[in-house]
Amino acid sequence: MTSTVHPRSVHDADPRAHFLKLIGAIEPWDDLERDHRETATRWIVGGAPIYRVRKPDVPAMHLVCYFVVLDQTRGQLLLVAHRKAGLWLPAGGHVEPGEDPWAAVVRECREELDIGAEASPVTGRAPLFLSVTETRGQGTHTDVSLWYLLDADADSITSYDQAEFSAIRWLTEEQVLGEPVELLDPHMHRFVHKLQHARAGSQGG
């Protein structure tokens, strides 16, 4: 289930070809993720703008990176209470023009959680999951989101961006699955199921 492709700098290659390679290497978890991968592929091939150039919604569809932080020892995932979305989400942010998605993860991880981004051995520096989601609230738009998995000790996160988040929580996978879906990113439960499968395969291998 885990992709083995390692992102390179988009400055060294055509960005669209690079993004197509990243997306194409994600093995869909279910029919919805397969549909989302096809939607994202058509979007990139079609030549539409990829990056957000003006907040909150220009262009109306743009690239985002989530990074789900996992404390493997405790078996817990980090979720943040996002002020604008009004939901519990993984941390993350928009990919800047010309920026590699992994570089965006590294930058946003430092900005939002004040830690370095350490790729999980389960996935490496490749996205595990893809979603295409219409956002809520003012400036509604569509996020094409690459979901990355990071490794971190829960004790290493002692601060967070309080302008973006009102709180943070560490939850086990089962606790996340026990949360009402309407309080989370709408694809969070599906991501956790895919993560459980990927981790089981990694431990079994």
Side-chain angles (χ1 to χ4, degrees), residues 12 24 29 48 55 60 62 102-103 116 121-122 149 156 183 186 190 203:
D12 297 333
W29 170 247
K55 296 180 180 181
H62 47 254
W102 174 252
V122 176
L149 186 64
S156 70
L183 300 182
R190 295 174 50 247
Q203 293 165 0

Side-chain angles (χ1 to χ4, degrees), residues 137-160:
Q138 189 175 7
T140 299
H141 57 275
T142 300
D143 284 341
V144 178
S145 304
L146 297 171
W147 297 54
Y148 289 81
L149 186 64
L150 301 185
D151 218 12
D153 188 313
D155 292 334
S156 70
I157 299 179
T158 58
S159 64
Y160 57 89

Side-chain angles (χ1 to χ4, degrees), residues 11 37 44 51 76 88 90 114 117 127 171 202:
H11 301 293
R37 190 176 69 167
I44 293 171
Y51 309 103
Q76 293 180 322
W88 286 94
D114 197 26
L171 300 173
S202 174

Side-chain angles (χ1 to χ4, degrees), residues 76-149:
Q76 293 180 322
L77 304 173
L78 178 68
L79 292 182
V80 300
H82 196 279
R83 292 185 184 276
K84 289 183 179 178
L87 298 171
W88 286 94
L89 310 171
H94 294 84
V95 180
E96 299 293 340
E99 187 176 39
D100 182 271
W102 174 252
V105 169
V106 172
R107 173 180 54 78
E108 291 281 354
C109 190
R110 178 60 67 185
E111 291 176 0
E112 295 186 348
L113 302 177
D114 197 26
I115 61 169
E118 181 178 342
S120 168
V122 176
T123 57
R125 295 182 176 184
L128 175 65
F129 189 69
L130 170 74
S131 62
V132 179
T133 312
E134 185 173 314
T135 64
R136 296 173 21 164
Q138 189 175 7
T140 299
H141 57 275
T142 300
D143 284 341
V144 178
S145 304
L146 297 171
W147 297 54
Y148 289 81
L149 186 64

Side-chain angles (χ1 to χ4, degrees), residues 6-7 11-12 31 37 46-47 56-57 64 66 86 90 92 101 111 152 164 166 179 181 185 188 194-195:
H6 290 277
H11 301 293
D12 297 333
D31 287 343
R37 190 176 69 167
D57 57 354
V64 170
Y66 273 143
E111 291 176 0
E164 292 274 349
S166 59
E179 289 287 301
V181 68
D185 179 281
M188 193 70 215
K194 188 175 187 181
L195 173 59

